[in-house]
Amino acid sequence: MSPVTVSARPAARHGWPEALAVVLTGLAVMVLVAAAGLWAAGAAGLPDGAFPRVLAATVVTAVGGSVRLAGDAGALARTEAGITVLPLSVALAGALAIGSGFLRPLRHRTVASPAESATWAARIVVLWLLALTGLAFAARQTFAVDVGSGTLSDLTGLFEAEPRVGFWADVPLTVLFALLWLAWVLLVALLVARRAPLPGRWSGWRERARPAARAMVELLLAAVAVGLVVALVTAATRGHARTTFALILLGLPNLVWPALTIGLGATWNGRVDGPFGLPVPHILDVLLRTPDVSEVNLRTLTDYDARMAWLPVAAGVLLLAVAVRAGLRSPASTPLWLHAVRLAVALALTVLMICLLCRISAHYGLSLLGIGDLGGGLSGELLLRPQTWQAVGLGALWGLVAGFLGGLTALLVRRRCRSSDGHHQRGDGALHP
């Protein structure tokens, strides 16, 4: 009888066609999410067929690209506008699609040389930058500002100063930030993946950093999932379904990730002035519409709605759950203090990332002959920014406590597993849930 042969599963190819598929899939996901969100927000009715260009600008800003705003209202008038906000729902969808596509050819490999891994990543980077360059050139449009009727309309007509405002993408900055965004996505994908191969020295470092890094990814995704459930329930019970879906598809992480930091005790400062319509919970809109910059924290939220006191409970439960999973993924010999330190560093960095990504700044205005607004309601300001270092410090403190409790719980689970001999353990002593 001939000997039985077992053929190894061939590794997936990762050439130029596969890299193109990864990039196109990521962009398609981002475009679909952004288009649905903009449609729900009412952008389908923009004049001059501007929807595709606004869609391109939304995808560009989602990856950190720079979109500049400017206005023109003739020789005697001036319009000003500026906006800094990332549509993080679009960014998150693209990151998940591109990250999984990048890892797919590597999952069934045990060893990959640095040159091979770098070549695969470089192909994705080149095609990604070409695609984003094209989107950046497409992201430009000019709109006329409707000043209504009355004195303001008469003045703008008299001086031939019809106000217009437009946007365009800064191509070099967009390419730079798109490159940084993609590099971050690929790095996180390699860091949290269990089966993706790395060169020898990097593999050992990845195994030490992976439990805490994966815990933070799970924490952010769990917060989004909880926010999604709350948003859908709100849409079903209180109406405003279209506005709610616009928020979900464009900026759900912009809301739930700051809420996570507020649950940890952080404070955000904000203000809304003018006719900005915010697709956010009513409580936040009320807190921000004040003459001065307002504080958004547990105290101000619970003063308005006592149910906000559940934010620390929700944050604590989510954090403890991912801390336990991080402990189970770590080697059994890891001391408790190291569990605590690793999770403290990881959570501090995660909170810092939230503070950098979720800040919002927007303003616009019209002045004629040096007179601003002219009573026409044509100016406004929107501001939301964190007290960054307070939030980072609180994140480190919560991470220390959660890391210690998670490591202790993992230790107790291992002891129970050994006594019952009902679970499989790997050679490093780590449980891999």
Side-chain angles (χ1 to χ4, degrees), residues 180-432:
L180 295 176
W181 182 88
L182 181 62
W184 178 251
V185 169
L186 300 186
L187 177 63
V188 171
L190 281 176
L191 187 59
V192 302
R194 179 158 57 95
R195 290 182 292 180
L198 283 176
R201 291 179 298 176
W202 294 2
S203 181
W205 178 82
R206 197 257 306 270
E207 289 307 311
R208 292 189 294 271
R210 176 180 170 269
R214 190 175 179 91
M216 293 302 99
V217 172
E218 291 174 346
L219 177 65
L220 294 176
L221 293 179
V224 171
V226 172
L228 177 61
V229 172
V230 172
L232 292 176
V233 171
T234 301
T237 57
R238 299 185 182 181
H240 306 289
R242 189 160 178 166
T243 301
T244 302
F245 279 110
L247 171 64
I248 292 173
L249 294 167
L250 292 176
L252 185 60
N254 298 75
L255 185 62
V256 298
W257 289 348
L260 176 65
T261 67
I262 291 173
L264 302 179
T267 296
W268 290 65
N269 300 114
R271 180 173 181 260
V272 175
D273 178 40
F276 281 105
L278 300 181
V280 298
H282 179 66
I283 179 174
L284 186 58
D285 195 24
V286 170
L287 288 178
L288 295 179
R289 289 191 185 275
T290 56
D292 300 318
V293 175
S294 305
E295 288 188 346
V296 182
N297 52 32
L298 282 174
R299 177 183 58 81
T300 58
L301 289 173
T302 53
D303 285 346
Y304 188 86
D305 188 343
R307 292 175 297 179
M308 295 296 106
W310 286 98
L311 279 177
V313 178
V317 169
L318 291 177
L319 185 55
L320 183 59
V322 300
V324 171
R325 290 176 64 83
L328 293 174
R329 293 190 184 103
S330 301
S333 58
T334 305
L336 292 180
W337 68 267
L338 192 54
H339 282 294
V341 169
R342 286 176 176 172
L343 205 68
V345 172
L347 187 56
L349 292 175
T350 301
V351 170
L352 177 61
M353 182 200 71
I354 292 173
C355 291
L356 295 176
L357 294 181
C358 294
R359 57 181 62 217
I360 300 173
S361 175
H363 72 275
Y364 68 92
L366 167 68
S367 63
L368 185 67
L369 298 174
I371 304 173
D373 191 16
L374 299 176
L378 292 174
S379 67
E381 180 183 19
L382 169 61
L383 174 70
L384 184 64
R385 61 191 178 199
Q387 295 183 11
T388 303
W389 299 116
Q390 176 217 43
V392 171
L394 287 168
L397 181 60
W398 277 76
L400 277 173
V401 176
F404 181 85
L405 295 177
L408 181 60
T409 303
L411 178 62
L412 297 176
V413 168
R414 284 192 177 93
R415 288 177 179 175
R416 185 172 181 177
C417 289
R418 283 196 295 265
S419 62
S420 62
D421 197 27
H423 288 77
H424 172 69
Q425 284 190 325
R426 296 172 65 101
D428 59 0
L431 297 176
H432 295 266

Side-chain angles (χ1 to χ4, degrees), residues 157-170:
L158 175 64
F159 293 108
E160 298 181 353
E162 180 187 14
R164 301 183 67 85
V165 63
F167 66 86
W168 75 93
D170 187 320

